[in-house]
Amino acid sequence: MFAEIALRNSLFEPFTYRVPEHLKSVLKEGFAVYVPVRRQVQVGFVTALSEKNSSGVPEERLRDIIDIFPLNPVFDRNMFQLLMWASDYYIEPPGSMLFSAVPSGIFKLSNFKVRLNYEDSREVVIGLSRLFKKKGNYKISMLDLFRRLSDGTAQLFVEETDRDQGSVVELSGDVDEEEIKRVSEKYPVIDEILEYLRLKRVLPLYEVLSMLRDKRILRYLYKSNIIRIKSGDLRASSYAVEEGRVIELNEEQLNALKSIERIRESGFGVHYLYGVTGSGKTEIYLRAAKGVLNSGKSVLFLVPEIGLTPQSIYRIRSSLMCDVAVLHSGLYEKERIQEYLRIKNGEVKVVVGARSAIFAPLRNVGMIVVDEEHDTAYKQEESPRYNGRDMAIKRGQIEGCVVVLGSATPSIQSIYSIKTGKFSESRLTIRANNKPLPEIDIVSLSRSKAEDDDVEGLPFYISDELYRALIDTINNNNKAILMLNRRGFNTFILCTSCGYVFKCPDCDIHLVYHRHREMLLCHYCGYNQRLPDICPNCSSLSISKFGFGTEQVEETIKRLIPSSRTVRLDRDSVSNMYDLENAISRFSKGDANILIGTQMVAKGHHFPDVTLVGVILADMSLSVPDFRVQERLLQLLMQVAGRAGRGSESGKVIIQTFNPFEPAIVATKSGNMDEYASIELVRRKNLFYPPFSRIILIRSRSEDAKKAEEVLMIFKNALSGLKRSEVLGPVKSPIERIKKEFRYQLLIKTVEINRVRNTLKNLIPDVYRLHHKVRVSIDVDPLNML
Ligand code: ADP
Ligand code: ZN
Ligand code: ZN
């Protein structure tokens, strides 16, 4: 018998090993085994088993699998199927895909202890690495242990050695209220955490840390003797929730719930919940989850990492009244393994986590929820480059369960899937609290300067409307947020008379200006032109290059409105969570009344007394060379608009732009994506972009620019003659150099995805071997085109 084995660093070609006699009847696909690799022993995964040796290497030269890893199956059939699909789909070697789906440290025996139960009811607990030592008293074989773990006469658990393991936080009890007040003045997040501690009494340390997002604040609380840290039962503390009140669903919500349940009863299907923030989507996920749990199945919730707040987790726990495994990036290795084991053993039936939680070893999955489906955080930007949302749909298909996607600003991709009937859909149009959406004004920057009642001395990027609204806001003791949606590129070029921006005639993406050669370049296809002096649209001489940032806007605001107190929020002004916390607290406590920042201001925080949101120059986002910029801009604008009017007073949003008729900007007024989507879908169809084609981006980087480009030519040549496909490039990447390396890219648009995939897979081993000084990466369905 022969086994194909995927190793951590192997490419697509599997390694073939002989299966020794004692493992023949146990091994299955998806099992982890120990194999010899040169002079070492490595862990690998069985990807195929066969009676025939098809490796091309004579049998006597093949080596034997050494042993079985005791904790098997590492992947059950469904998960194995999902991962092999992903490996194929994302052109990612199976080993890389499989290994990234388990917690790191899972193969380190010293991480585990094992409890062995004997027939005479003796019980022995021993470190796993000691168990296999030659001279140990209880020495058993790996295979014996595997059998015992399978039949329940042995249990694995994580050895807790780390000081942080099992640490919980509680209030000291005898704290000085004055002191708390003084401290929380400085860091408002503390209020939240203390409130939460009063409610729950104890919290796992990691949860507190993820809430504070900065260890220094924790240290401060500890030193001021406000909290105590002790070791405790993490699970008990997680359980200390009170049952949430039961909410009566409105009609829209009831219909949505019914649709989900109908699918659930019939098996696989994707249902989309399209509803504004606050319309009760989460309420529906939770209600549907209850039904799933009652039927004995489990539930997987995916949320963007930023949504993994203790409040949201608490809400899930108190609504479902059961234990929940939370998988977030702040977990230590052993905590991660512990959660993994709990899920694998069926001790928890609800898992909440960011994108990698898609790999959670839940059994009998009854529903997968992907909240904020449009969020680009679901895409992993390093190998393996999978998209958690798309994997969720595939997993649902394999598990035969319902997948629920939700968002207030669906991706164009999903809207297309709804339109073509691939997804069913429910809409939630009413906000549960009946709060109206803020009023949105789109102000044309070219027009506003021509009016008669001009305010003197305003720079072009502060319109009269915005200026007056800012003054009003401050006079009424309210607060404003100003967003400058700058991303990546400093120099932005447009005609300030008519708003014209330079786009590639073929790709319809924005050309990037290269200063040293005065050239405009398309980073998809390589098209380039000289920067003209005269606007091709209106023939004026108003083509302007400008680069300005939040700092400049802040100075201008201070000068124009002396009574303003500003605070800045961008990567330059806040380099760590501590600064971030400080900036936010200055604004929420009222030390500042205008918050000026990059897109960072659109996310997360809740400021009730913000009544004005101003977007300085919406067009800035459009200068990013990416065919999805319009879609992203609309999502960003809707998100930042949602910051206005959360409290008792209604809000106002002013969006300044040179392109007031840009569909993505116009659509913010109604907040409805449909109209925009129909325009955008026509554009995408004409230009052969997704969802009408699939795209694959091949990137190369090397200190040798020529080599980096040459490697991509190999791929291009191999793909020539392919029908219903376009291969653009190679061309320099928009971000041309990172450190010393030059970056190039090749963009493939195709409907022949399987052909492309096979061609690429066949090329990769040679390319890697022959051009080891060039690093090549393949991104299927890329979201980030820089
Ligand atoms: P979303 O997930 O769409 O942002 P949520 O489910 O978080 O919306 O709901 C927003 C708020 O409204 C929550 O506090 C929730 O408890 C409340 N809520 C939701 N549905 C109802 C309802 N039918 N009646 C009253 N309150 C509701
Ligand atoms: Zn012009
Ligand atoms: Zn082009």
Side-chain angles (χ1 to χ4, degrees), residues 495 497-500 535 537-540:
C495 170
S497 225
C498 73
Y500 183 84
C535 172
N537 184 47
C538 73
S539 306
S540 73

Side-chain angles (χ1 to χ4, degrees), residues 504-509 522-527:
C504 171
D506 296 325
C507 310
D508 199 42
I509 63 156
C522 171
H523 282 280
Y524 281 11
C525 72
Y527 167 89

Side-chain angles (χ1 to χ4, degrees), residues 18-65:
R18 285 188 309 232
V19 180
E21 205 53 45
H22 73 290
L23 295 181
K24 272 187 181 161
S25 59
V26 257
L27 286 192
K28 292 202 182 88
E29 288 176 348
F31 272 47
V33 291
Y34 295 100
V35 291
V37 178
R38 285 179 290 270
R39 282 146 163 251
Q40 286 175 335
V41 178
Q42 281 188 23
V43 174
F45 285 100
V46 178
T47 55
L49 287 163
S50 148
E51 292 299 334
K52 253 185 40 222
N53 171 17
S54 48
S55 65
V57 181
E59 182 174 345
E60 58 280 7
R61 284 187 45 211
L62 292 176
R63 302 172 78 178
D64 275 356
I65 289 175

Side-chain angles (χ1 to χ4, degrees), residues 503-512 514 520-529 625 689 728 731-732 734:
K503 288 185 181 179
C504 171
D506 296 325
C507 310
D508 199 42
I509 63 156
H510 288 71
L511 300 175
V512 173
H514 290 257
L520 294 163
L521 176 69
C522 171
H523 282 280
Y524 281 11
C525 72
Y527 167 89
N528 59 70
Q529 66 171 79
Y689 282 125
L728 304 180
V731 66
K732 282 177 180 160

Side-chain angles (χ1 to χ4, degrees), residues 169-182:
V169 174
E170 64 178 14
L171 287 173
S172 303
D174 52 347
V175 286
D176 180 355
E177 284 298 323
E178 280 302 304
E179 173 68 7
I180 291 188
K181 225 170 133 196
R182 207 178 55 75

